Amino acid sequence: MYEHFYGLAERPFSLLPDPDFLYLGEQHSMALAMLQYGLMNQAGFTVITGEIGCGKTTLIRQLLNEMGQDTVVGLISNTHRAFGDLLEQILVVFRLEARGKSKAEQYQCLLSFLVDNYAAGRRTVLIVDESQNLDIETLEELRLLSNVNADKDQILQLILVGQPELWDKLNRPDLAQFAQRVGVDYFLQPLSREELTAYIQHRLLVAGGSPELFSAEAVALIFEASGGVPRLVNTLCDTAMVYGYARQSPSIDRALMEKVVRDKSRSGLFRCGVPGGRDTIRPEAREAPGTGGPAGADRSVPGAPVADQGPPPPDGREAGPPGAGSGGRRARATASQGGQGSDVPTGGGPAGKRLRAGPGRA
């Protein structure tokens, strides 16, 4: 719609996954390097966690694009029990016949597949997205599957991708054996202020546009409204370009961005401190896991004025609180399961980091 007006070859801020737009800042580069390290050095378990919309699955798709013909990949992106037993799903994504087989027969079928790949010089990698949805029994089942690995080589490598709740589960005492087998672990945080500026400019350049389309003041407001979460950044930038096109504005300034954010705030997707807004969010006050508070938790700016509720209505009914939606929510990616080289639906962009020392392997 606005591509021709802004001299773009394609939309720069689509929510659809596209590794061509992957912004490899310092933190995203580190996360990708850790994934590559885990793959090349045969880590039994690699765990990538991060808040919603921070680009975890984008990294996985980039990793898939880099894999050669000597790697057989299976992807499970629907981890809800309604989609079937875990072992059945694993057979399906590796294109093995699961119907009509007992549990023991299914396990033997998978084992034969893994051994055949190993004998042929191929590595087998299973990627489980949205892993925070796995229950304790299923996680333990994954650990038991890793017992097929022997000697120096890993017959099956597993990569788990999920939200911070995944590590909450892995830190349970009854999953201690699982946690000890995690060789590579990385945590993605939202973009910093500097990274967000580079992120927006990078995507505009890849799409063939001017990196200076958004003014510095508009970018500052985007950071304030999104908290640096790439998926929310994309939503704000894409909407701003639609508004800019409608107004025939050659650039996106703060005034236009304020209009976008205020309209989005009414939908409940964002809470931010734009003029006339109800809330003020200070993204830098968000705490990462292990620093005294939940990652991504909103903190109000100290001393910020609180909206006056006013007296109750004359009929005696209580006045309701001012409307405020939850920030940072996203629709979950639709499932895509496939066999070797299967495509991974992703969303979001690069984000911050926390590198946890990998526990020793059992």
Side-chain angles (χ1 to χ4, degrees):
M1 179 179 183
Y2 54 68
E3 291 90 336
H4 179 72
F5 180 74
Y6 287 115
L8 301 165
E10 56 185 315
R11 291 173 60 201
F13 300 104
S14 171
L15 296 183
L16 296 176
D18 189 345
D20 290 340
F21 281 91
L22 177 61
Y23 166 68
L24 287 174
E26 176 186 356
Q27 300 175 66
H28 237 64
S29 295
M30 179 66 76
L32 183 59
M34 294 302 291
L35 279 168
Q36 294 166 337
Y37 173 82
L39 190 65
M40 290 187 296
N41 289 275
Q42 300 188 3
F45 282 95
T46 297
V47 176
I48 301 296
T49 54
E51 295 295 339
I52 297 171
C54 283
K56 302 177 294 295
T57 322
T58 303
L59 285 172
I60 295 300
R61 178 161 182 176
Q62 177 65 27
L63 185 70
L64 282 173
N65 287 347
E66 297 175 359
M67 290 182 180
Q69 296 297 317
D70 62 340
T71 305
V72 180
V73 183
L75 168 70
I76 295 177
S77 53
N78 272 317
T79 51
H80 195 278
R81 278 285 191 180
F83 287 91
D85 175 79
L86 175 67
L87 185 53
E88 290 181 0
Q89 289 194 65
I90 293 174
L91 293 179
V92 169
V93 298
F94 283 129
R95 299 179 183 177
L96 303 173
E97 184 57 56
R99 292 174 296 180
K101 288 184 171 67
S102 67
K103 193 86 170 180
E105 290 171 332
Q106 290 176 356
Y107 179 79
Q108 188 58 48
C109 179
L110 175 61
L111 182 59
S112 298
F113 172 75
L114 296 175
V115 170
D116 289 346
N117 282 338
Y118 178 71
R122 295 187 295 266
R123 68 179 70 192
T124 306
V125 180
L126 176 65
I127 301 173
V128 184
D129 203 358
E130 300 292 353
S131 295
Q132 76 280 352
N133 295 328
L134 297 174
D135 56 31
I136 303 304
E137 293 75 16
T138 305
L139 286 169
E140 179 62 12
E141 188 176 353
L142 275 177
R143 184 190 70 82
L144 293 174
L145 281 177
S146 71
N147 286 338
V148 301
N149 296 319
D151 301 325
K152 295 182 179 180
D153 296 319
Q154 298 286 341
I155 299 177
L156 174 64
Q157 291 181 255
L158 295 105
I159 299 176
L160 304 187
V161 184
Q163 296 167 27
E165 294 82 359
L166 173 59
W167 260 113
D168 292 340
K169 292 182 178 181
L170 295 182
N171 283 328
R172 289 169 51 112
D174 49 345
L175 287 177
Q177 292 186 68
F178 191 120
Q180 290 172 7
R181 297 191 185 190
V182 176
V184 175
D185 170 36
Y186 199 87
F187 185 86
L188 283 174
Q189 295 181 7
L191 298 166
S192 68
R193 174 67 177 82
E194 293 74 19
E195 286 177 315
L196 185 138
T197 300
Y199 172 82
I200 291 175
Q201 293 177 344
H202 169 77
R203 296 187 73 102
L204 288 168
L205 282 171
V206 172
S210 168
E212 307 301 326
L213 179 62
F214 288 77
S215 71
E217 293 78 11
V219 171
L221 181 55
I222 293 170
F223 178 71
E224 181 183 357
S226 67
V229 175
R231 183 172 294 125
L232 300 183
V233 173
N234 286 4
T235 298
L236 287 173
C237 289
D238 187 63
T239 304
M241 296 180 77
V242 175
Y243 279 38
Y245 169 75
R247 295 182 176 185
Q248 296 293 286
S249 174
S251 62
I252 309 298
D253 59 15
R254 183 178 176 92
L256 191 150
M257 204 68 235
E258 286 179 355
K259 168 66 174 171
V260 171
V261 172
R262 192 174 293 113
D263 289 351
K264 287 292 184 182
S265 297
R266 293 193 186 104
S267 71
L269 183 61
F270 296 90
R271 294 186 297 170
C272 51
V274 298
R278 296 185 183 275
D279 298 287
T280 301
I281 300 300
R282 187 178 62 182
E284 60 269 25
R286 301 182 178 196
E287 296 176 293
T291 60
D298 292 337
R299 296 286 187 270
S300 297
V301 174
V306 178
D308 187 3
Q309 300 288 327
D315 60 2
R317 292 175 298 172
E318 291 187 0
S326 57
R329 289 186 180 167
R330 68 170 173 90
R332 296 197 185 276
T334 55
S336 173
Q337 300 189 32
Q340 181 173 354
S342 59
D343 221 23
V344 184
T346 64
K353 65 176 178 180
R354 181 194 68 179
L355 179 59
R356 184 179 307 178
R361 211 171 296 158

